[in-house]
Amino acid sequence: MLNLFMYICIDRKSVGALGRLVFMVLSLATILGASLVGQGAEARTIPESVHLKPVTATKIIKVSDGDSIELIAGFVRDKVDGKWLTRLAYNGMIPGPMIVAKQGTKIKLKLTNQTGEPTSLHSHGLRVDDKNDGVVGIGQDPILNNESHTYDLKFPDAGLFWYHPHMSDEYGQEMGLQGNYWVMDTDLSKMPAVDRDEVIVVDDLLVGEGQLPEFKSGKLSYALMGRYGNFNLVNNKSNWSSTAKLGSVVRYWMTNTANARPFKLTFSGAKMKLIGGDSGPYAKDRMIDELILAPSERAVVDVFFLNPKTVTLENIGPKKKQVLGKIFVAKNPKFTTLERAKLGANFERLQERKELSDMFQPLLSLAAAKPDFTMKIDATLRGQHAEHMMGQGAGAEGIEWEDSMSEMNAAMSDKDVTWRVIDPATGKENMAINWLFTKNKPVKIRIINDGKHHPMQHPMHFHGQRFIVLARNGLPEETVGWEDTVLVRAGETVDVVLDNQNPGRWMGHCHISEHLGTGMMFGFEVR
């Protein structure tokens, strides 16, 4: 018997009449095909902003074990660069409500859909049951317009996670459907003491002539490089600001929710220490000058405000720094020269977490072992732009920080580009891949991004599991912690080890939303 099951990836306009179901088959045999059928090009109905309520700031929803909450996905109006735009929001907020829970909590989350097209909700990074992961065809049908679906969520891990649609991601996410889960660790000793915590969401938005371009057409665009915005946002503000007290340490919990843009962040005029990543603290702290945060990744950084001047949060672009926001530093008479030296020395003390090092040791011991599975990343380019785009892409760092060929990129759909994940052992590609893993048995996976056809970085995300990064190009990873997404630069080979503690049927994919839209995803099962 073939080990066969199906993921159903459903075009947004087809579901009501069941007109265009696209079945993605994962099996041990190559049957029913392997590629993602192209997105439809039916026009979307997007209401004019004048008739909508304005977006509101993010509010906190604190939940306890057994609570039930509701998110409503619907249209709002949002002012960007002085112009009102139609956007989407959860409960009228961008980012959506911040759901704060203690580790170990279980809740019910009801999602009501008022977006005008089918949707689902993926709880990114949460190790939930596969039926509550938001992948249509495994645990749920699409949530049709004006209908609801209830998810049983659990929070086994402490850290910062987030939620977003998993149907037409490139549309819903860019339009504003995104929000955070903040899961509190009951053991505060795992991280250094700080004066306060703050959550930051970095994002970008592509706006042209007073609207979000290309969405009304209903087709997938920007398929080659993904959609890079022309407005960078922090907590949905182009002029974000905050405050800090001189001599204080603030812990920033950061998420990149952009469709495609990687950020290289720095706090100019302050000191920064990397504490944790996607799923909580690292085994050891590390002093850093800048932080690379790829789409869907999270990071936890402590920032020491040691100078009596305004600190700027900046994105270090390929040509210049872009100011994303400002932190106004308040005076502190008690912050003397002696106190500065004392606090500075204390801040640069790097905490090691032995319990995490011990937990990671069996996984780290696989560093010299051959990979159990390998995936190669490549692209197939078609049409009039293929020859011109071949070989062009990421620079010396292996990262495309900006869209340097925006007109060509905008014109390229999934008919022009197919991003591919290839299993060289079987020759299978994308959703024809169906790896089988054993529960609680770690698996070493090698990801090779040789960038042969279009050199570009790819943030690779695994649903339902956590992993550590072992090595990049054969060199041990400097900072080790639990992750669910890893940035693989152009020309880079990355080794990761999944711990496979969460049984079920899962998918993995590139978290550049437009790459996912061309079919850059694969399947695996843990049992």
Side-chain angles (χ1 to χ4, degrees), residues 369-378 420-430 432-437 443-450 460 462 488 492-498 520-524:
K370 292 182 178 180
D372 299 294
F373 296 87
T374 298
M375 70 170 71
K376 296 187 71 173
I377 295 170
D378 202 355
R420 301 153 60 209
V421 177
I422 305 162
D423 179 354
T426 64
K428 293 180 180 180
E429 299 182 6
N430 291 348
I433 297 171
N434 178 25
W435 288 335
L436 182 61
F437 304 151
V443 169
K444 181 177 179 179
I445 299 174
R446 176 161 292 168
I447 308 172
I448 302 171
N449 182 16
D450 59 17
M460 300 303 296
F462 289 77
V488 187
E492 191 171 49
T493 295
V494 175
D495 291 340
V496 302
V497 179
L498 274 68
M520 192 177 179
M521 48 187 165
F522 58 95
F524 65 97

Side-chain angles (χ1 to χ4, degrees), residues 278-442:
D278 288 343
S279 299
Y282 286 137
K284 184 178 180 180
D285 302 339
R286 179 161 63 95
M287 297 298 299
I288 58 174
D289 295 317
E290 57 197 35
L291 170 72
I292 295 177
L293 200 63
S296 88
E297 286 188 319
R298 284 89 63 213
V300 188
V301 296
D302 288 356
V303 178
F304 177 38
F305 294 92
L306 71 165
N307 294 312
K309 63 179 183 180
T310 299
V311 169
T312 52
L313 173 60
E314 298 173 350
N315 181 40
I316 305 173
K319 296 181 179 179
K320 63 179 181 179
K321 293 182 179 180
Q322 305 149 347
V323 176
L324 304 182
K326 296 180 179 180
I327 300 103
F328 298 101
V329 181
K331 294 180 180 179
N332 181 4
K334 296 182 180 179
F335 191 60
T336 62
T337 303
L338 182 61
E339 188 73 4
R340 174 184 172 126
K342 176 183 174 183
L343 292 176
N346 185 61
F347 181 77
E348 295 190 19
R349 188 174 297 118
L350 304 179
Q351 181 174 329
E352 296 188 41
R353 300 169 184 88
K354 186 177 184 301
E355 73 282 2
L356 286 179
S357 296
D358 291 345
M359 184 186 300
F360 295 146
Q361 195 53 49
L363 309 184
L364 292 170
S365 67
L366 298 176
K370 292 182 178 180
D372 299 294
F373 296 87
T374 298
M375 70 170 71
K376 296 187 71 173
I377 295 170
D378 202 355
T380 297
L381 307 180
R382 296 174 290 272
Q384 59 180 330
H385 301 306
E387 185 176 346
H388 179 75
M389 306 298 262
M390 194 80 71
Q392 297 192 37
E397 291 183 278
I399 294 176
E400 294 196 57
W401 300 106
E402 298 285 350
D403 185 350
S404 58
M405 31 192 141
S406 57
E407 289 187 10
M408 284 190 183
N409 185 29
M412 298 186 77
S413 73
D414 51 336
K415 294 180 180 179
D416 305 302
V417 185
T418 300
W419 282 101
R420 301 153 60 209
V421 177
I422 305 162
D423 179 354
T426 64
K428 293 180 180 180
E429 299 182 6
N430 291 348
M431 290 300 277
I433 297 171
N434 178 25
W435 288 335
L436 182 61
F437 304 151
T438 301
K439 182 183 175 183
N440 295 326
K441 182 179 179 181

